[in-house]
């Protein structure tokens, strides 16, 4: 109940900000994911009454991956409502955190590990088969999956993954969205080649300290492997599509 009340307060304020600054802000809501019924109820209220069309979610819910039977119906409800979902690594209880106590590994390694685990949990949940037009995005360029997808492909072809996917794991990556915040030219180029420039959006880590040095917009504009159309898509139109504000 406390989580649901908190989510309502955040969503009300986000919607109010967007109403007062319609050309500058598109609201992104939050959900009490620890309670399936209350989360689905808040999706309905936020979409219908507040006009919120995107929700920010963590990479797990109290240690449960996003394919868990208690969590998957919430994500289905968001997709059914036409809302997009943006994944950001949870701060607490990250995978492997007991071995990431030094060198800020909890952030530099733990965060992309969480991102990739969350994305593939959604893929294997079948959500993208149930909702082919779903708009699912991940911060930090989706973590490691664009670079380690070969191992998932191998287990898929060997029949060892235990899943029931309608397509290869790599096919699902091309249907998801990613922010550009990888801090490395070659990593971003690999992501773009893997999923297409149409799936990459601007990311800044504002107001924290994880932005690209010199700013993400300036970084995207100077990258030679991107065409001018690619740059416009990454800086503007892809986010409009993901947020449902295009046109």
């Amino acid at each position: 109940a406390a989580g649901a009340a908190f989510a309502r307060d955040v969503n009300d304020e986000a919607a109010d900000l967007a109403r007062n600054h319609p050309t500058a802000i598109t609201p992104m809501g939050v959900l009490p994911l620890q309670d399936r019924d209350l989360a689905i109820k808040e999706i309905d209220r936020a979409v219908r009454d507040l006009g919120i069309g995107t929700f920010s979610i963590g990479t797990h819910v109290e240690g449960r991956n996003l394919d868990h039977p208690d969590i998957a119906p919430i994500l289905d409800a968001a997709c059914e409502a036409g809302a997009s979902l943006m994944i950001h690594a949870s701060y607490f209880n990250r995978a492997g955190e007991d071995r990431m106590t030094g060198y800020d590994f909890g952030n530099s390694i733990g965060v992309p590990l969480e991102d990739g685990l969350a994305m593939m949990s959604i893929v294997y949940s079948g959500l993208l088969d149930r909702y082919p037009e779903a708009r699912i995005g991940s911060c930090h360029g989706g973590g490691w999956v664009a670079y380690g997808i070969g191992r998932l492909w191998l287990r898929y072809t060997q029949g060892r993954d235990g899943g029931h996917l309608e397509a290869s794991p790599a096919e699902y990556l091309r249907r998801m969205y990613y922010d550009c915040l990888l801090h490395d030219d070659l990593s971003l180029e690999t992501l773009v080649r893997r999923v297409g420039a149409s799936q990459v959006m601007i990311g800044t880590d504002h107001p924290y300290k994880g932005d690209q040095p010199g700013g993400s917009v300036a970084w995207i504009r100077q990258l030679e492997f991107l065409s001018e159309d690619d740059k416009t898509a990454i800086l503007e139109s892809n986010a409009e599509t993901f947020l449902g504000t295009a046109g």
Side-chain angles (χ1 to χ4, degrees), residues 37-81:
D37 293 340
L38 291 177
I40 292 174
K41 183 178 179 180
E42 182 58 18
I43 289 170
D44 182 64
R45 187 190 78 94
V47 171
R48 184 189 66 242
D49 298 343
L50 303 180
I52 290 177
T54 302
F55 295 96
S56 176
I57 62 173
T59 44
H60 66 82
V61 181
E62 297 175 327
R64 292 169 289 173
N65 286 338
L66 300 182
D67 62 336
H68 190 279
D70 290 339
I71 313 304
I74 302 172
L75 308 189
D76 279 12
C79 294
E80 187 71 29

Side-chain angles (χ1 to χ4, degrees), residues 60-143:
H60 66 82
V61 181
E62 297 175 327
R64 292 169 289 173
N65 286 338
L66 300 182
D67 62 336
H68 190 279
D70 290 339
I71 313 304
I74 302 172
L75 308 189
D76 279 12
C79 294
E80 187 71 29
S84 54
L85 297 167
M86 193 67 184
I87 302 165
H88 189 285
S90 302
Y91 189 82
F92 297 104
N93 196 23
R94 291 175 182 160
E97 65 181 2
D98 57 320
R99 296 181 59 195
M100 299 188 196
T101 57
Y103 316 110
D104 206 19
F105 280 171
N107 185 287
S108 58
I109 295 177
V111 164
L113 174 60
E114 280 285 324
D115 293 329
L117 182 58
M119 293 192 74
M120 296 315 297
S121 294
I122 285 179
V123 167
Y124 274 93
S125 77
L127 183 146
L128 292 172
D129 294 329
R130 294 189 295 275
Y131 299 94
E133 303 303 316
R135 305 187 311 282
I136 310 295
S138 175
C139 297
H140 321 112

Side-chain angles (χ1 to χ4, degrees), residues 132-220:
E133 303 303 316
R135 305 187 311 282
I136 310 295
S138 175
C139 297
H140 321 112
W144 65 271
V145 287
Y147 320 98
I149 192 65
R151 294 185 66 84
L152 286 155
W153 172 84
L154 179 62
R155 303 313 173 208
Y156 167 79
T157 59
Q158 292 174 332
R160 291 174 54 185
D161 58 7
H164 302 281
L165 300 179
E166 295 181 0
S168 158
E171 292 294 323
Y172 294 94
L173 293 189
R174 291 189 278 272
R175 292 164 51 186
M176 303 172 90
Y177 290 82
Y178 311 80
D179 81 5
C180 70
L181 211 57
L182 288 164
H183 309 289
D184 176 68
D185 293 10
L186 183 57
S187 295
L188 182 60
E189 183 176 8
T190 301
L191 177 64
V192 169
R193 293 181 64 183
R194 170 70 68 188
V195 305
S198 64
Q199 306 307 114
V200 180
M201 305 178 288
I202 196 68
T204 67
D205 202 47
H206 178 80
Y208 301 100
K209 298 179 180 179
D211 198 2
Q212 179 71 16
S216 295
V217 173
W219 179 44
I220 293 298

